[in-house]
Amino acid sequence: MSIRIKTYPYGPLGSNMYALISEDSYIITHGHYDHFAALHEWTRMYPEAPVIIHSLDKMRLLTPSENCSAAFGMPYSADVSPIDAESVSGKAFLGGRVTLEVIHTPGHSEGEVLY
């Protein structure tokens, strides 16, 4: 299984999004669009990989007014069915080479997490 780190300067803010890309997961730290706006590109590469985000930020993926994209005139919603980050804590990813610990760090968003 290959693992790549890719940088995406994305959106009107030119925010750098860093993705650890593999065939088995898309791991999102929080639900602001400048951190997941390239999701449509990632899911084309590996459509079966689950999208992982904290349950408190799940709806942000689907709601432009909540993920801040509408405020910048670029309403964006991701057409995905994410799974809760809380449910993956302690589980292996990246072909069994990485075990995630999920640490809930609300502040910047209600569902922000560190992995």
Side-chain angles (χ1 to χ4, degrees), residues 51-72:
V51 175
I52 301 167
I53 190 166
H54 194 280
S55 61
L56 292 174
D57 271 10
K58 260 176 143 170
M59 287 308 296
R60 291 179 189 270
L61 294 178
L62 310 173
T63 312
S65 62
E66 293 293 319
N67 66 35
C68 300
S69 62
F72 290 95

Side-chain angles (χ1 to χ4, degrees), residues 21-98:
I21 300 172
S22 80
E23 294 89 4
D24 69 356
S25 58
Y26 303 103
I27 302 167
I28 300 172
T29 58
H30 67 286
H32 290 149
Y33 87 105
D34 58 321
H35 291 267
F36 69 83
L39 195 56
H40 63 282
E41 293 177 29
W42 302 342
T43 55
R44 272 196 299 254
M45 289 188 292
Y46 304 111
E48 300 302 315
V51 175
I52 301 167
I53 190 166
H54 194 280
S55 61
L56 292 174
D57 271 10
K58 260 176 143 170
M59 287 308 296
R60 291 179 189 270
L61 294 178
L62 310 173
T63 312
S65 62
E66 293 293 319
N67 66 35
C68 300
S69 62
F72 290 95
M74 295 181 58
Y76 179 79
S77 62
D79 185 22
V80 297
S81 297
I83 63 173
D84 295 344
E86 305 96 294
S87 69
V88 301
S89 194
K91 293 191 178 167
F93 284 85
L94 304 174
R97 294 181 285 195
V98 173

